[in-house]
Amino acid sequence: MNIPASTAVPQVLESRTRDRVLQAIGEHGPVTATALAEDLGLTVPAVRRHLDNLAESHLIEDREASPAGRGRGRPARAYVLSEGGHQALESDYDHLATEALRFLSAEAGDEAVRRFAESRVGQLEQRYAVELAAAGTGTAQRVQALVTALTRDGFAASARPVGDPTGTAGSGATGLSGIQLCQGHCPVQHAAREFPQFCDAETDAFSRLLGVHVQRLATLAQGDHVCTTFVPTKPEPSTERSSR
């Protein structure tokens, strides 16, 4: 059946906008409809229409947004990708890679899988090292350079400070402060679910690239909605002097 051009064009545009909304949720989730509208330059009603469609297709899930900074009234809903949403953003190559890795593991053992994962991540590390070197020696600057590189390669990365950068009271029971590095999408998520060697190799590479021991807190492969890595930062020099 032929679809008239006058009908086909709006349908194509609608589909592309829907894909943009899905991609934005992968990059920024949990994210509210209002934040999505501002980021994508759309109206809130238009975004909500796409959210309803994505939810009906089981590509996204909603949850109550953080109450911080909110007043009274109906709680806002924040959206993250569902398992189906992550699969929609993945390519068929991920499934082919998983089959190849199973064969490699059966033929040569888990150690061969580990070496392959380190080799694959090592190629990214070599490219990223040049960009991070140009960013300078500061941890925050190097993290931002890593975020840029990861996002370019499809990891939908972002970063935000956590804790108290001065190292004073209010930074939590451990007194730690740092940067929370997030990856909203993983091109090899399906393979990493069965072969965590990829997550381990990536975490080790981040530590080498940033020059600090980072800690992986959550992963998409384990069912979390985002990969989260804690990057510790040092207290401000002025704080160190005043504490002596």
Side-chain angles (χ1 to χ4, degrees):
M1 180 178 67
N2 294 326
I3 300 176
S6 58
T7 302
V9 172
Q11 288 181 347
V12 170
L13 294 177
E14 187 81 355
S15 177
R16 289 178 179 175
T17 303
R18 178 174 175 271
D19 291 343
R20 288 175 60 208
V21 173
L22 183 65
Q23 182 69 36
I25 293 173
E27 293 179 6
H28 306 296
V31 60
T32 64
T34 300
L36 285 168
E38 293 176 354
D39 183 55
L40 299 174
L42 302 170
T43 65
V44 173
V47 168
R48 292 194 186 281
R49 184 177 70 252
H50 290 294
L51 291 174
D52 289 341
N53 291 334
L54 290 169
E56 290 176 2
S57 301
H58 305 291
L59 297 177
I60 62 173
E61 299 172 349
D62 70 317
R63 59 188 62 187
E64 187 173 323
S66 172
R70 289 189 52 80
R72 298 179 179 178
R74 183 180 179 182
R77 308 303 298 179
Y79 298 87
V80 298
L81 293 182
S82 65
E83 177 67 20
H86 284 293
Q87 292 178 0
L89 292 179
E90 294 173 358
S91 70
D92 291 337
Y93 290 110
D94 194 29
H95 300 282
L96 177 61
T98 303
E99 293 182 10
L101 288 168
R102 289 171 183 162
F103 179 84
L104 178 63
S105 178
E107 292 291 314
D110 289 341
E111 179 63 19
V113 176
R114 182 189 64 79
R115 292 197 304 269
F116 174 77
E118 291 178 345
S119 174
R120 181 185 181 279
V121 173
Q123 295 175 22
L124 293 177
E125 183 179 352
Q126 288 181 357
R127 290 196 289 109
Y128 293 172
V130 177
E131 300 177 48
L132 268 66
T137 59
T139 301
Q141 290 79 6
R142 294 177 73 85
V143 169
Q144 187 54 54
L146 180 58
V147 166
T148 300
L150 288 169
T151 299
R152 183 188 61 233
D153 285 343
F155 291 88
S158 63
R160 66 181 182 88
V162 293
D164 180 6
T166 65
T168 58
S171 57
T174 62
L176 293 177
S177 64
I179 300 172
Q180 185 168 286
L181 172 63
C182 296
Q183 295 159 260
H185 179 61
C186 176
V188 295
Q189 176 186 345
H190 189 265
R193 183 180 299 113
E194 188 169 342
F195 299 97
Q197 293 94 326
F198 285 91
C199 296
D200 295 339
E202 184 182 76
T203 302
D204 292 341
F206 286 175
S207 290
R208 291 189 294 268
L209 285 167
L210 297 173
V212 294
H213 178 70
V214 306
Q215 182 179 5
R216 185 59 62 89
L217 303 178
T219 65
L220 288 162
Q222 293 176 341
D224 299 294
H225 72 269
V226 66
C227 291
T228 306
T229 304
F230 177 75
V231 183
T233 55
K234 297 179 180 179
E236 296 291 339
S238 58
T239 301
E240 294 179 347
R241 287 194 299 267
S242 62
S243 61
R244 295 175 182 174

